[in-house]
Amino acid sequence: EIVLTQSPGTLSLSPGERATLSCRASQSVKSSYLAWYQQKPGQAPRLLIYGASNRATGIPDRFSGSGSGTDFTLTISRLEPEDFAVYYCQQYGSSLYSFGQGTKLEIK
Amino acid sequence: EVQLVESGGGLVQPGGSLRLSCAASGFIVNSNYMSWVRQAPGKGLEWVSIMYSGGSIYYVDSVKGRFTISRDNSKNTLYLQMNSLRAEDTAVYYCARWETYSGTYAFDYWGQGTLVTVSS
């Protein structure tokens, strides 16, 4: 079973700043199977990034993903007020799926 | 338009049973990979189960032997039968589609969730 560890747990930034969120896997993850989701309070998660670096439909280009193997990163280039939320990475491997514990992005 | 609507949540006593439904529109359930993901109050997301288009089924270890995923093709609906419920099963349960056709390999559509509370 692959365990995903996200850091930091909470990130406090101001609108306009750059956010860098990390996701580290306990074993190598095929890049095709690494995704990022955004969740706002009271809402279902929304797919942001798939295949480690591909933006989902309708996702602004300020969101970008990178990484390979065991280390993956979600970057938000310039934070907008609507970007403050919880972000989860997620992987698939050997017919099992798992999520990281999440990073809360809060307004400083 | 793709839509997923869950129902069936509620309050149940420990040891009890509940069946969740996820009605899909805009696509064919049995041609896709369909999953259940849950979120305990104030906690993160936890994958629970998935049913592939070919019928293969997988579960997280904590629900094996207690939960059963199934689908009704005539109703285009996914189900989760939950038996022997425990307090730690308390969560919002989401159904989600795992997209494979376009090479996305991610949960691209989610329902709004249904709350299951296990308590005496």
Side-chain angles (χ1 to χ4, degrees):
Chain A
E1 177 192 351
I2 296 177
V3 176
L4 298 178
T5 302
Q6 293 186 240
S7 60
T10 301
L11 186 57
S12 300
L13 294 170
S14 300
E17 290 192 293
R18 180 185 187 91
T20 303
L21 286 67
S22 174
C23 175
R24 178 161 291 177
S26 60
Q27 304 172 43
S28 185
V29 173
K30 188 174 178 180
S31 294
S32 302
Y33 299 145
L34 193 288
W36 290 91
Y37 302 83
Q38 176 194 67
Q39 187 179 33
K40 297 180 180 180
Q43 296 185 16
R46 177 175 72 145
L47 176 64
L48 293 177
I49 300 287
Y50 65 91
S53 61
N54 302 289
R55 278 187 300 276
T57 303
I59 301 303
D61 61 7
R62 64 180 180 272
F63 290 90
S64 63
S66 63
S68 64
T70 60
D71 289 293
F72 298 88
T73 300
L74 175 70
T75 301
I76 310 172
S77 59
R78 284 180 56 86
L79 286 165
E80 298 287 343
E82 62 266 28
D83 298 337
F84 292 91
V86 180
Y87 292 83
Y88 296 93
C89 57
Q90 176 262 320
Q91 69 82 34
Y92 159 77
S94 303
S95 302
L96 296 177
Y97 303 73
S98 61
F99 291 89
Q101 83 281 13
T103 290
K104 181 179 181 180
L105 180 55
E106 64 176 24
I107 298 177
K108 187 174 182 180
Chain B
E1 180 191 6
V2 171
Q3 198 169 14
L4 296 168
V5 179
E6 301 97 334
S7 60
L11 175 64
V12 61
Q13 292 188 338
S17 298
L18 213 54
R19 188 179 82 156
L20 307 183
S21 301
C22 171
S25 57
F27 72 99
I28 306 300
V29 164
N30 68 1
S31 296
N32 285 268
Y33 291 18
M34 296 298 298
S35 190
W36 290 96
V37 176
R38 66 184 178 183
Q39 186 170 37
K43 302 299 184 181
L45 301 170
E46 180 184 34
W47 171 75
V48 174
S49 180
I50 194 164
M51 187 170 192
Y52 290 174
S53 53
S56 296
I57 288 172
Y58 300 93
Y59 300 96
V60 68
D61 283 348
S62 60
V63 308
K64 282 180 183 176
R66 301 188 300 122
F67 289 12
T68 302
I69 191 172
S70 64
R71 64 193 180 201
D72 184 330
N73 298 339
S74 66
K75 295 181 178 180
N76 209 36
T77 297
L78 181 74
Y79 300 100
L80 186 67
Q81 177 67 45
M82 304 185 295
N83 298 331
S84 304
L85 282 161
R86 306 166 180 167
E88 54 265 35
D89 296 319
T90 294
V92 173
Y93 285 73
Y94 296 99
C95 73
R97 186 179 79 171
W98 177 258
E99 169 60 23
T100 59
Y101 289 114
S102 60
T104 299
Y105 302 115
F107 295 111
D108 64 342
Y109 285 97
W110 297 68
Q112 84 289 350
T114 187
L115 176 63
V116 173
T117 303
V118 184
S119 174
S120 55

